[in-house]
Amino acid sequence: MATEKYIILDRDGVINVDLFDYVTNPIDFKFEQGSLEALKKLTLFGYKIIVATNQACISLGIATKKEIDDVNLHMKQKAKENGAEILHIEVCPHKPEDECKCRKPETGLLTSAEKLLNINLKGSFFIGDKFSDIQCALAHDCLPVLVKTGYGEITLKNHDVSKAQVFDRLSSAANFICQ
């Protein structure tokens, strides 16, 4: 029997357009160019999609957990309507100064998903737009992929991302992964 293939995606700046603020309402959620197609392609190629997202807006009082859950549900439903399946979403609600174990670059979101779903994410692709995504991927023995959307260009300019594969956007990363 074939082993399940998992892929981890950051949300803001990868799947949806990063507002460089917080997406706290489904109305403000806009998919990145080609990301719906990329999610569908990954699904068709047998990847189980896990989203790992830092959402400090919850701890900051900018949004409630329910509001973020509503945004995530909207994303999952729109993906499903377009032939893609998002298996699971992990959310870190903490601010950086909370020093939690789940906020990327910490690996708590990944270990939580592993425990909850009884899976192993080591060796899986992890696609993000921030250096913290790359650090999290490497710390958990995942394969780091950086996209230039969202904070990607800033990350490229300010950090050594030589251990990551770099693509223009999620769609080009998905094309590479699924070839």
Side-chain angles (χ1 to χ4, degrees):
M1 187 168 136
T3 315
E4 297 284 3
K5 298 183 293 188
Y6 297 95
I7 189 162
I8 304 120
L9 304 178
D10 175 47
R11 193 188 83 181
D12 301 330
V14 176
I15 296 173
N16 61 290
V17 175
D18 196 321
L19 302 177
F20 301 102
D21 192 2
Y22 295 100
V23 180
T24 60
N25 189 314
I27 296 167
D28 300 323
F29 188 96
K30 306 284 183 259
F31 283 92
E32 274 287 351
Q33 179 190 329
S35 70
L36 271 172
E37 295 80 3
L39 294 171
K40 181 179 180 177
K41 184 171 202 165
L42 291 167
T43 300
L44 291 173
F45 272 76
Y47 283 93
K48 306 291 183 197
I49 300 169
I50 294 171
V51 175
T53 180
N54 289 344
Q55 295 295 328
C57 56
I58 297 169
S59 285
L60 293 167
I62 295 167
T64 64
K65 182 181 180 316
K66 184 188 179 321
E67 286 172 320
I68 296 306
D69 288 346
D70 289 347
V71 171
N72 289 335
L73 181 62
H74 170 78
M75 173 182 67
K76 272 183 91 160
Q77 287 174 331
K78 289 294 178 197
K80 191 173 185 79
E81 288 168 18
N82 284 276
E85 188 72 42
I86 296 173
L87 175 66
H88 182 66
I89 302 171
E90 284 283 332
V91 176
C92 170
H94 304 107
K95 305 182 293 278
E97 54 272 21
D98 292 341
E99 295 182 22
C100 65
K101 294 294 180 206
C102 55
R103 186 177 174 80
K104 297 175 289 178
E106 297 294 329
T107 60
L109 294 177
L110 305 185
T111 55
S112 176
E114 287 177 327
K115 285 180 188 148
L116 191 73
L117 302 169
N118 195 27
I119 60 172
N120 182 351
L121 293 173
K122 292 184 184 341
S124 299
F125 285 101
F126 185 139
I127 305 176
D129 65 323
K130 290 185 178 166
F131 190 57
S132 58
D133 296 318
I134 304 303
Q135 292 173 299
C136 180
L138 292 169
H140 203 74
D141 294 326
C142 293
L143 305 169
V145 177
L146 181 77
V147 291
K148 294 180 183 177
T149 50
Y151 282 90
E153 292 283 359
I154 296 163
T155 301
L156 266 175
K157 192 166 44 173
N158 296 323
H159 298 281
D160 174 12
V161 296
S162 58
K163 293 185 175 153
Q165 303 242 20
V166 180
F167 296 94
D168 286 339
R169 58 187 59 258
L170 180 58
S171 56
S172 46
N175 289 339
F176 169 79
I177 289 165
C178 294
Q179 65 181 318

